[in-house]
Amino acid sequence: MKAFKGGNLSLVIFLLLPAVVLSVVTDQLFNNTVMTLTQSIQDLQARINGLTKEALNQKLTIEERVRSEGSSGIKQTRNYVHGTSSYFDNTHVGVSSMMSIHDHSNYHDTLGMGEVIAVLNGVEFRTRHNDYRLVEPDPTNTTFRAVRDILPPPTPPAVLSQPTLDLQIKELRQWFKAFQQQNTTLRDYRPYFVPVLCYLEGFWSLEEAIKEPFASDRHLLLASSWQQLLNQIIYTSYTGNKDLNENMAFLPSAIISIDATGRPLYAQWNYRILCKQPSVDIPLKYFRRQIDLPTLARSGTNANNVNNTRLARFRLTDFDPERQESGLTLLDKLMQEIPGLDNNPSFLNEVAFGQTIYNERYPNNTRLNTGYYHRRFKTGTAGAMGTSTVMRGFHDELLFMAETTQPLVAPVNFTICYSASNCTTRTSRFSYAIPLEVVYMTPLLTWDPYDLPDGSLTGITKGGRNGDTRDPAQAFNGTNPIVYFYKTPVEFYNSTASQKDPADTSGAVGVLDSTGTLRIVYGSGIQIFTENIQGVGSVRLRYPIPPIHGEGSTVWKELSVVKQQLSQLQGSGSVPASNLYQAQLQPTSVGGLHYHEFTLYQQDFDLISNSQIVTVSTSLSNGHSHVLDLALNATSGNVEYLTCNGAPVCPDLHPKVIKFLSSSG
């Protein structure tokens, strides 16, 4: 029995042994396979992480290349022409106007503007046909992208009080004449001719669904997803074709950052055009004509006459004559009134590299609200170049930035360590902007002497009405802010303007008033130039002031000097040498004997003589420079600095009295 049991046990062991061995071998193979797969996955993950980092590096490399080749600004318009020389092609100036701007004065708040290629902080993109509206960030609503209409100015009571249409026309012409001549004695036009600063804004968005850049009564993106929009651009770029309505845009997407686990954050670039009514008037004398030689060559006009055409481009500056600007300019002050994507940030103050950011506008250390657009700030201590003034970007003169807390704006994290155990991580979100144009709203937006009735879009043209100026049966049946904003009597003008663009949608039409009487009226919306006004002429209402991408290149700067010298030889725009004063911040021995020099212009000297403060930047000496606020000491009669780098006395104790070395006259 025992032998039998022993035999059975041996048999059982004999039968089970292969299974046990097989199980051990299988487990070992499984473990080896798991280890192999794990290693493969880890290798694959490492390769993907490496490719992701390389994609991020490539994005940064491309943007850095764009930044080094030029500045933020307009780069190109769509080309429609060619010629025997390259300058016959379009540049940032279109066929007939700067930035392809045109008129839609049959809309109450639409400003015509075609497609452009633009650069903002190294990101190059192409817009759709813009035709943007006069809207501004809504300060009462912090919802992402919330805007509100900019209200037009009223009609002067002196016009409305006139008993007849003829007298109203004569009176209103006087107001336009006062604005044209900037004559507040003739009429104080400023409450009724109101400037609006319009700007191009861009940002990296986390919105997954396609989002229209901004409201337009005429155009919108012809795509239902970002991928479809990209496919359209691929097709049109490959075939050279175009959407006739110009409703496509190239808006790049990119990996914006990578977290500690290697997971990428994807973002979509988007842009919009908004406006902001400033708190101060902008006198016309602050628009300095910019000479674009290709434009002059192909148009056959000269530098003095181009101001009176749609081809003109300007620079907004309160400095005259040509000079290097120091401190905050009028443009800085205007842009600092424009909020970023938070619309009305309570207070944001970026702290970068452990430095608090201060507002250069004030001599004391007033913290800068970085939620508003700015390009300059100052820090509490001087940097490696000896100055505490910083400009946004490495070399981007007219790039303005604003911080935001909007969660749909792509964030970038930055960790800085002050010691091995003291590290701080900061998350920042920013948007970018450049000025586009200054637009003047006029009483024509509200003047309605015929009291024309408002109608629906369908009712105005019902029965085939086409705005005929002779047949009441074909005249428009009323007006509407969209498309049919016709309210200005044709008698207000004495002829039509000669400058037209194929994209314009303005002109005289017939409209029935509330009694059924046919009235011939013009569009009352904003024009680049008004029609010709008797005793006044044609009045410019839109002043393009965008920076041009190429202006940031060294070659462009060289050519700018040549252009200026040529214009001086021709007797236009020269600066008399006697207007220049060489001045010195007197020597000090603190930190080593040294002094600083700077130039004062006649305008600066006149302002100081009239008890105004002038801000200048000195030359670099002993490894640093200074920003000075200069004023006249009424007691001694000397010009002294009130502040030096924001302090009452320079850190290296330069004497306060400024020494004048010479006048070049």
Side-chain angles (χ1 to χ4, degrees), residues 254-455:
I255 296 173
I256 201 72
S257 63
I258 303 172
D259 66 17
T261 66
R263 184 182 298 275
L265 177 65
Y266 296 94
Q268 173 67 50
W269 179 261
N270 212 334
Y271 82 102
R272 59 182 184 170
I273 299 177
L274 299 180
C275 304
K276 183 71 169 67
Q277 183 178 331
S279 61
V280 296
D281 182 43
I282 304 177
L284 299 183
K285 66 180 181 180
Y286 289 156
F287 294 103
R288 183 188 299 279
R289 179 194 67 218
Q290 301 297 291
I291 299 175
D292 292 316
L293 293 180
T295 301
L296 300 182
R298 76 168 186 255
S299 66
T301 187
N302 60 49
N304 292 322
N305 292 336
V306 75
N307 278 16
N308 301 318
T309 73
R310 296 185 177 198
L311 302 170
R313 176 171 67 93
F314 302 89
R315 190 180 184 97
L316 179 62
T317 176
D318 47 339
F319 290 102
D320 185 50
E322 292 284 357
R323 54 165 293 170
Q324 188 176 60
E325 297 174 335
S326 299
L328 293 182
T329 66
L330 172 64
L331 182 59
D332 287 293
K333 296 171 184 176
L334 295 176
M335 292 296 291
Q336 281 192 9
E337 294 183 355
I338 300 175
L341 296 172
D342 279 13
N343 282 1
N344 188 21
S346 54
F347 191 84
L348 298 176
N349 185 248
E350 181 197 15
V351 179
F353 300 100
Q355 291 289 330
T356 301
I357 289 178
Y358 298 108
N359 194 333
E360 196 184 14
R361 189 171 188 172
Y362 306 104
N364 58 354
N365 285 339
T366 301
R367 293 169 66 194
L368 175 67
N369 191 341
T370 52
Y372 288 81
Y373 280 107
H374 60 282
R375 59 173 171 168
R376 299 171 62 96
F377 59 86
K378 62 182 181 180
T379 58
T381 57
M385 292 300 292
T387 178
S388 60
T389 300
V390 180
M391 291 193 69
R392 291 286 184 184
F394 184 80
H395 190 122
D396 207 335
E397 181 192 4
L398 287 171
L399 170 65
F400 293 82
M401 295 188 180
E403 194 174 9
T404 180
T405 61
Q406 293 288 355
L408 287 175
V409 175
V412 172
N413 297 323
F414 175 72
T415 300
I416 182 171
C417 293
Y418 306 101
S419 66
S421 59
N422 182 16
C423 293
T424 301
T425 298
R426 179 177 177 84
T427 299
S428 295
R429 292 175 168 88
F430 274 84
S431 58
Y432 316 101
I434 56 172
L436 274 188
E437 62 176 326
V438 173
V439 179
Y440 286 89
M441 299 187 295
T442 77
L444 293 182
L445 293 169
T446 51
W447 185 47
D448 185 12
Y450 289 135
D451 194 22
L452 297 175
D454 290 332

Side-chain angles (χ1 to χ4, degrees), residues 50 102 140 239 362 522 557:
H102 48 275
T140 66
T239 63
Y362 306 104
Y522 272 102
K557 294 170 185 176

Side-chain angles (χ1 to χ4, degrees), residues 128 145 203 211-215 221 249 251 270-273:
R128 60 159 165 78
R145 297 172 174 269
F203 52 92
K211 187 71 176 180
E212 186 64 34
F214 55 93
L221 291 177
L251 303 174
N270 212 334
Y271 82 102
R272 59 182 184 170
I273 299 177

Side-chain angles (χ1 to χ4, degrees), residues 6 43 104 150 178 222 238 241 286 308 326 418 459 463 495 528 614 617:
D43 290 344
H104 291 305
I150 296 178
L222 187 66
Y238 183 81
N241 213 323
Y286 289 156
N308 301 318
S326 299
Y418 306 101
S495 67
I528 304 171
V614 170
S617 294

